Amino acid sequence: MTEPQSSRPRRGRPGYDLESLLSVAVALFNERGYDGTSMEDLARKLGITKSAIYHHVRSKDELLQLAVNRALDGLFAEADRLGEVDGPAIEKLEQLVRASVVVLVERLPFVTLLLRVRGNTKVEKAALARRREFDHRVTDLVSKAAADGDLRPDVDPATSARLLFGMVNSLVEWYRPRGDVDAEALADTVVAVAFDGLRVRKA
């Protein structure tokens, strides 16, 4: 039986496979904005024809979907991994924050793009829905940690979750990979500030 065209792997053009195409597209989306970038702009940046791009993907929306899912899949993989972890909610929350920082660093252009979508397209709306689902998971962990007596009970869990991941997400605005601060060191710093604070506790 003949394999359906849609299920066949698409062969890459010389110099550009899907991964390298996606990398350039995400950089351009972050630079110009998704709405402000056309397939013609992308083809010009790559130095190839638009038909060569369509050899890999069907539309600009498909590029966006691949990009935001790269960020979201990384975050959800870390959240799902918590089900295999024994320990109180506060430890799981710390682990999720730490792992999320590492995901952000390793997938910085993709996370940056994810945080800039505004729900103007079907793909963006789906991405925002997944972000809300992730936020709910964080809020649930905060609520459980407060119920365990490990976090302040007088602060709304949803607000705490937003502030916590607001700090994590703010890294896209200033963090640039350099040799002096790696992902693990950055994660240690974020966790220390979030859970221990900056003030030295004097005896």
Side-chain angles (χ1 to χ4, degrees):
M1 185 172 67
T2 303
E3 185 181 12
Q5 180 68 31
S6 61
S7 66
R8 293 175 184 169
R10 301 181 186 184
R11 294 176 299 170
R13 292 294 176 100
Y16 283 103
D17 56 12
L18 178 58
E19 190 63 29
S20 56
L21 167 62
L22 185 60
S23 178
V24 174
V26 169
L28 203 58
F29 292 161
N30 282 331
E31 177 187 334
R32 299 188 178 187
Y34 175 72
D35 292 334
T37 304
S38 67
M39 292 295 266
E40 185 174 342
D41 293 330
L42 183 55
R44 190 179 304 114
K45 181 74 172 179
L46 292 164
I48 59 178
T49 63
K50 284 195 292 183
S51 62
I53 298 175
Y54 291 125
H55 183 78
H56 295 285
V57 295
R58 295 174 182 81
S59 65
K60 190 175 78 163
D61 270 359
E62 186 177 349
L63 279 170
L64 179 63
Q65 184 174 37
L66 289 169
V68 296
N69 282 346
R70 182 69 58 86
L72 286 162
D73 290 348
L75 292 171
F76 273 95
E78 297 301 336
D80 291 343
R81 197 166 286 123
L82 296 179
E84 305 167 4
V85 175
D86 291 327
I90 188 67
E91 291 182 6
K92 294 183 179 183
L93 182 61
E94 270 195 42
Q95 179 172 323
L96 183 57
V97 170
R98 186 183 301 279
S100 296
V101 172
V102 173
V103 169
L104 183 147
V105 170
E106 292 178 346
R107 309 184 187 198
L108 184 59
F110 300 97
V111 177
T112 300
L113 182 60
L114 171 65
L115 295 176
R116 291 178 179 174
V117 301
R118 293 292 177 266
N120 296 328
T121 66
K122 184 178 179 180
V123 170
E124 290 179 280
K125 287 182 173 69
L128 290 178
R130 289 190 73 191
R131 278 192 64 186
R132 285 192 294 271
E133 182 184 346
F134 184 82
D135 291 344
H136 290 326
R137 292 200 189 189
V138 177
T139 300
D140 185 54
L141 281 175
V142 173
S143 298
K144 289 177 179 176
D148 290 342
D150 291 318
L151 289 178
R152 290 177 52 160
D154 58 330
V155 180
D156 174 58
T159 301
S160 295
R162 290 190 187 98
L163 290 171
L164 186 57
F165 270 80
M167 179 168 63
V168 174
N169 294 339
S170 72
L171 297 176
V172 304
E173 301 300 332
W174 61 267
Y175 177 77
R176 296 298 176 266
R178 297 186 301 273
D180 53 341
V181 182
D182 64 15
E184 296 295 338
L186 185 61
D188 287 342
T189 300
V190 170
V191 168
V193 171
F195 292 94
D196 298 327
L198 292 172
R199 185 187 294 274
V200 174
R201 306 300 174 185
K202 299 179 179 179

